């Protein structure tokens, strides 16, 4: 199997794009002169600025040929999905059989059967692996990653706080794919993350995330206005919580509520349209 060299959430990389030498030195690339492109006698404008119009009688007007038009560039490339290669750590460990889980196919919904008690797991090892799998869109990897993270946050909330620095890069990588289903999944996990220790731990996870807002929030600022405009219609799928704009607003509110006194000013710096929901 060939190694995947594509970077998740990245643009063109490698030797496919020529390097602009003039950007790093005084040298400059010049094109080789072509004798056929030189000006010939009788082809110039004679010192005039305005190009003379040449009218050719072609008979009745024909409709413009739409097929010959070049395709327009996407004016909203910031919202376009980025690369998401299938090279996550979760996929590698799952295919190798190194994870203490198996899928329990129940009658109503699937769940994970853990071969070891979750409290006895090494969170520094397993939790970043499952977070790295959040950008997976293929089954069963997508289900395993999301459900494993939720199970670990619920059962071992007291062991999550020291692992926060290791979770930032997987979260940032997943958000940088800019795929709607991946972003929705990560936002729901972020809400569960900041709320998992509010009962016993005093909400320190929300405060621990504040220094990492610069890695997490820029993509949220891009999609914060991505709402469904239904007019006077009813969104019957709102129970699934797939509306990206509303989900981002909910997540920012949870980050501010549990992030302490410095949370709002840091959120406002990266998401200028955000309005505080905390009454001081």
């Amino acid at each position: 199997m060939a190694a995947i060299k594509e970077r998740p959430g990245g643009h063109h990389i490698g030797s496919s794009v020529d390097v602009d030498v003039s950007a790093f030195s005084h040298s400059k690339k010049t094109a080789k002169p072509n004798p056929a492109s030189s000006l010939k006698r009788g082809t110039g404008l004679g010192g005039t600025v305005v190009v003379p119009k040449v009218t050719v009688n072609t008979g009745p007007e024909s409709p413009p040929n739409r097929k010959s038009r070049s395709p327009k560039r996407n004016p909203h490339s910031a919202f376009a999905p980025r690369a998401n290669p299938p090279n996550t750590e979760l996929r590698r460990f799952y295919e190798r059989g190194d994870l203490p889980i198996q899928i329990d196919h129940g009658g109503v919904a699937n769940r994970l059967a853990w071969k070891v008690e979750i409290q006895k797991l090494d969170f520094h090892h397993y939790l970043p692996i499952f977070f790295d799998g959040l950008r997976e869109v293929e089954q069963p990897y997508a289900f395993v990653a999301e459900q494993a993270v939720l199970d670990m946050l619920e059962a071992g909330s007291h062991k999550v706080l020291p692992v926060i620095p290791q979770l930032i890069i997987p979260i940032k990588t997943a958000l940088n794919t800019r795929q709607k289903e991946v972003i929705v999944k990560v936002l729901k996990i972020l809400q569960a993350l900041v709320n998992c220790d509010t009962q016993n731990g005093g909400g320190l996870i929300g405060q621990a995330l504040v220094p990492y807002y610069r890695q997490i929030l820029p993509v949220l600022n891009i999609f914060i206005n991505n709402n469904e405009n239904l007019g006077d219609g009813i969104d019957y799928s709102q129970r699934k919580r797939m509306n990206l704009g509303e989900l981002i607003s909910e997540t920012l509110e949870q980050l501010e509520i549990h992030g302490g006194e410095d949370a709002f000013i840091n959120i406002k710096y990266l998401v200028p349209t955000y309005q505080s929901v905390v009454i001081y």
Side-chain angles (χ1 to χ4, degrees), residues 241-267:
R241 300 174 68 205
M242 294 294 291
N243 191 334
L244 197 52
E246 290 186 3
L247 202 56
I248 289 175
S249 299
E250 291 177 14
T251 306
L252 293 177
E253 291 171 5
Q254 292 297 318
L255 289 175
E256 183 192 3
I257 291 172
H258 301 289
E261 56 184 11
D262 295 329
F264 172 68
I265 191 170
N266 283 277
I267 295 175

Side-chain angles (χ1 to χ4, degrees), residues 29-267:
K29 278 189 176 181
T30 56
K32 186 177 180 180
N34 184 8
S37 62
S38 59
L39 193 63
K40 296 181 177 61
R41 182 180 178 184
T43 58
L45 301 179
T48 61
V49 180
V50 182
V51 180
K53 293 182 180 178
V54 180
T55 57
V56 180
N57 188 9
T58 58
E61 266 189 53
S62 58
N65 187 7
R66 298 186 179 275
K67 292 184 180 179
S68 63
R69 292 182 180 178
S70 60
K72 292 183 179 180
R73 294 181 62 189
N74 183 12
H76 307 297
S77 58
F79 303 103
R82 301 282 176 84
N84 188 10
N87 57 354
T88 61
E89 290 292 307
L90 172 78
R91 183 180 291 246
R92 185 164 65 92
F93 277 82
Y94 185 82
E95 291 176 348
R96 211 163 58 181
D98 287 346
L99 298 176
I101 55 172
Q102 65 183 30
I103 300 177
D104 181 10
H105 297 278
V108 179
N110 295 340
R111 61 189 183 91
L112 288 182
W114 292 83
K115 302 175 183 177
V116 182
E117 290 185 23
I118 299 179
Q119 290 86 352
K120 296 181 180 179
L121 289 175
D122 181 6
F123 274 53
H124 284 276
H125 176 68
Y126 286 106
L127 196 57
I129 293 174
F130 290 124
F131 263 84
D132 190 42
L134 291 177
R135 63 181 176 90
E136 286 280 2
V137 293
E138 184 183 345
Q139 299 296 344
Y141 311 106
F143 167 75
V144 168
E146 185 176 10
Q147 193 60 46
V149 168
L150 293 175
D151 289 352
M152 293 183 74
L153 293 181
E154 181 181 1
S157 58
H158 59 286
K159 302 179 71 174
V160 176
L161 182 61
V163 197
I164 290 296
Q166 296 175 250
L167 307 180
I168 303 304
I169 291 180
I171 292 174
K172 178 185 176 182
T173 306
L175 291 174
N176 281 342
T177 62
R178 303 194 185 187
Q179 297 181 0
K180 182 179 177 181
E181 57 181 313
V182 176
I183 296 177
V184 166
K185 190 194 309 181
V186 173
L187 292 175
K188 293 177 181 178
I189 293 296
L190 277 175
Q191 293 187 26
L193 181 64
V194 298
N195 285 287
C196 72
D197 72 332
T198 53
Q199 299 296 329
N200 303 321
L204 295 178
I205 292 179
Q207 298 180 32
L209 286 173
V210 175
Y212 304 104
Y213 282 173
R214 291 188 179 218
Q215 282 74 37
I216 300 173
L217 300 189
V219 176
L220 273 58
N221 183 39
I222 295 174
F223 291 95
I224 192 171
N225 292 323
N226 193 338
N227 289 304
E228 300 291 340
N229 187 5
L230 303 177
D232 61 347
I234 299 175
D235 182 14
Y236 289 99
S237 64
Q238 59 182 332
R239 63 183 178 84
K240 299 179 182 177
R241 300 174 68 205
M242 294 294 291
N243 191 334
L244 197 52
E246 290 186 3
L247 202 56
I248 289 175
S249 299
E250 291 177 14
T251 306
L252 293 177
E253 291 171 5
Q254 292 297 318
L255 289 175
E256 183 192 3
I257 291 172
H258 301 289
E261 56 184 11
D262 295 329
F264 172 68
I265 191 170
N266 283 277
I267 295 175

